[in-house]
Amino acid sequence: MALIVQKYGGSSVGSLDRMHHVANKVIQAKEQGHEVVVVVSAMYGETDRLIRLANALSTQPDSRELDALLSTGEQVSMALLSMALNDKRYPARSFTGSQIGIHTDSIHNNARILEVKTEIITRELKKGHVVVIAGFQGINEHGDITTLGRGGSDTTAVAIAAALKADECQIYTDVDGIYTTDPHLIPEARLLSHISFEEMLEMTSLGAKVLQMRSVELASKHSLPVRVLSSFSDGTGTLVTFEDKIMDKRLVSGIAFSREEAIISISGVPKQIGMEGRILAKIGHANIEVDMIAQNTTAQDTIDFTFTVQRREYPKVLKALEEFATDVGAIAIKTNAKVAKLSLIGIGMRSHTGVASTMFKALGDEGIPIQMITTSEIKISVVVDETQLERGVRAVHQAFELDKEPAAMQKLFVE
Ligand code: ASP
Ligand code: MG
């Protein structure tokens, strides 16, 4: 017997039919003898609908009241799923985040979980009940309802699983698991049976949208195995786990990408100690996060300072920098708001050379200019023109034979 936390996303509980289907999935796990705690999202589209209601009524909805509103979506799901289970003669009890005692900080609409109480869950499990919990929400120190940011039900599930020391946290969604890259873009993308926590963190932060970032951080911190799988089909999905549990070791695991990038270059800046700090402080003051950074010294003893930001921040950055450029007498600001970031991720990079050269050659052979590069121990990111992203991803995917079984790919590097 194992203790399993299952989370069902919005599309998995998107209709009453789907709700029945989920109830049957839960029953399957019960029939295998497991104790089951279920975390549910709002029915598909419901959170968006509630946000639209709020925005239609108020130009700037009060954040406390917005949380009171948004948390209702998950409350509907939990009650309906429990009814379905009870009807099928599997006793179930539903609870909101505040009923369970999911304590968060007070940052409304983007709260962080501080503590999860387990008493009620344990009591109900002991009675043989399925415990159904509303995802995405908690309660702060003032007793106000909070929500955890978009996609937050993933984090609810992982936090509950960690608090209960569950054997596995299963995240049911509408994709079969984690792929080598987005199969919507590259149909040859392959489903990964395993991925390490570290790789999953990189994949998520670099643009893969399957799990909420905080849920991956939390799982990794607590070494909690997370399985991502589809509620629409029967596969075993992808297990996010420790590196040493992964048998089919590969050099690289996948390619993540993000189109929402902009690149900004300020050139001819006087070369002075501390100048880089002054440039970033300008941007930091506007509360904007800088992602990649590169700097060159020119023959004229000035520097060219280039960096990327999220595309939606780009007008603000430009404004902050224009004034600064005039003040320090920089020559020009060049920008391109239509770039994308393509990242290759793999723990194998730690122990193998030649990954970057293979990646850059693949892009070069496609005639795709690389505008910027950053690397870390297990990833290489490049900035390319947005129009060349798809071709770039495909070329790199092919160069590393990510569409093939790992065994075939290994041959490439055993030389
Ligand atoms: N219903 C919330 C959202 O749409 C939370 C979640 O589904 O994880 O973002
Ligand atoms: Mg989600």
Side-chain angles (χ1 to χ4, degrees), residues 381-396:
S381 297
V382 298
V383 173
V384 299
D385 203 272
E386 191 186 74
T387 55
Q388 296 172 325
L389 177 69
E390 183 173 340
R391 271 198 304 127
V393 175
R394 178 164 288 117
V396 177

Side-chain angles (χ1 to χ4, degrees), residues 7 151 154 210:
K7 178 254 169 177
D154 295 337
V210 184

Side-chain angles (χ1 to χ4, degrees), residues 133-395:
I133 300 169
F136 178 54
Q137 55 184 274
I139 186 169
N140 68 11
E141 57 176 338
H142 312 295
D144 293 329
I145 294 173
T146 53
T147 63
L148 308 180
R150 297 310 302 265
S153 297
D154 295 337
T155 304
T156 304
V158 171
I160 289 174
L164 292 171
K165 300 197 171 35
D167 295 286
E168 193 170 291
C169 181
Q170 302 175 339
I171 307 278
Y172 283 92
T173 170
D174 51 7
V175 293
D176 290 329
I178 311 296
Y179 280 78
T180 50
T181 193
D182 185 348
H184 298 300
L185 189 75
I186 309 290
E188 310 87 80
R190 206 170 41 81
L191 182 67
L192 296 165
S193 64
H194 291 77
I195 189 166
S196 68
F197 288 120
E198 277 174 281
E199 288 168 320
M200 194 63 216
L201 277 171
E202 291 282 9
M203 290 270 245
T204 309
S205 78
L206 293 168
K209 295 197 181 73
V210 184
L211 295 175
Q212 197 197 33
M213 186 65 196
R214 278 182 186 167
S215 72
V216 188
E217 287 166 355
L218 205 60
S220 153
K221 185 167 151 213
H222 292 276
S223 304
L224 176 85
V226 172
R227 190 179 293 278
V228 179
L229 65 182
S230 167
S231 68
F232 294 82
S233 60
D234 275 338
T236 50
T238 304
L239 188 65
V240 188
T241 185
F242 301 106
E243 189 180 337
D244 57 6
K245 291 246 168 71
I246 301 176
M247 303 308 287
D248 56 348
K249 294 233 181 352
R250 346 174 178 72
L251 186 60
V252 294
S253 289
I255 301 169
F257 55 85
S258 139
R259 297 176 202 274
E260 299 303 305
E261 313 280 328
I263 193 166
I264 295 164
S265 185
I266 169 165
S267 62
V269 182
K271 190 175 171 194
Q272 283 168 16
I273 290 178
M275 185 55 87
E276 301 81 358
R278 284 174 62 192
I279 299 174
L280 288 187
K282 263 279 161 243
I283 304 157
H285 277 153
N287 249 326
I288 294 158
E289 225 176 287
V290 170
D291 181 15
M292 301 164 101
I293 300 176
Q295 181 187 273
N296 305 316
T297 304
T298 66
Q300 288 74 38
D301 236 21
T302 58
I303 56 171
D304 295 345
F305 192 85
T306 307
F307 59 93
T308 64
V309 294
Q310 290 261 305
R311 195 173 296 169
R312 65 185 147 80
E313 309 279 27
Y314 154 81
K316 265 202 276 178
V317 177
L318 205 55
K319 204 158 150 260
L321 265 193
E322 265 164 0
E323 202 182 297
F324 178 80
T326 324
D327 285 356
V328 298
I331 296 169
I333 299 177
K334 272 191 287 183
T335 61
N336 185 353
K338 292 250 163 63
V339 292
K341 180 167 68 170
L342 182 168
S343 308
L344 182 66
I345 295 139
I347 40 181
M349 283 182 209
R350 275 202 197 114
S351 45
H352 289 77
T353 53
V355 178
S357 60
T358 305
M359 177 182 183
F360 299 161
K361 179 170 186 304
L363 293 168
D365 289 350
E366 273 294 311
I368 298 174
I370 298 172
Q371 302 184 25
M372 211 166 167
I373 302 170
T374 53
T375 64
S376 78
E377 219 186 341
I378 66 161
K379 72 122 206 273
I380 303 166
S381 297
V382 298
V383 173
V384 299
D385 203 272
E386 191 186 74
T387 55
Q388 296 172 325
L389 177 69
E390 183 173 340
R391 271 198 304 127
V393 175
R394 178 164 288 117

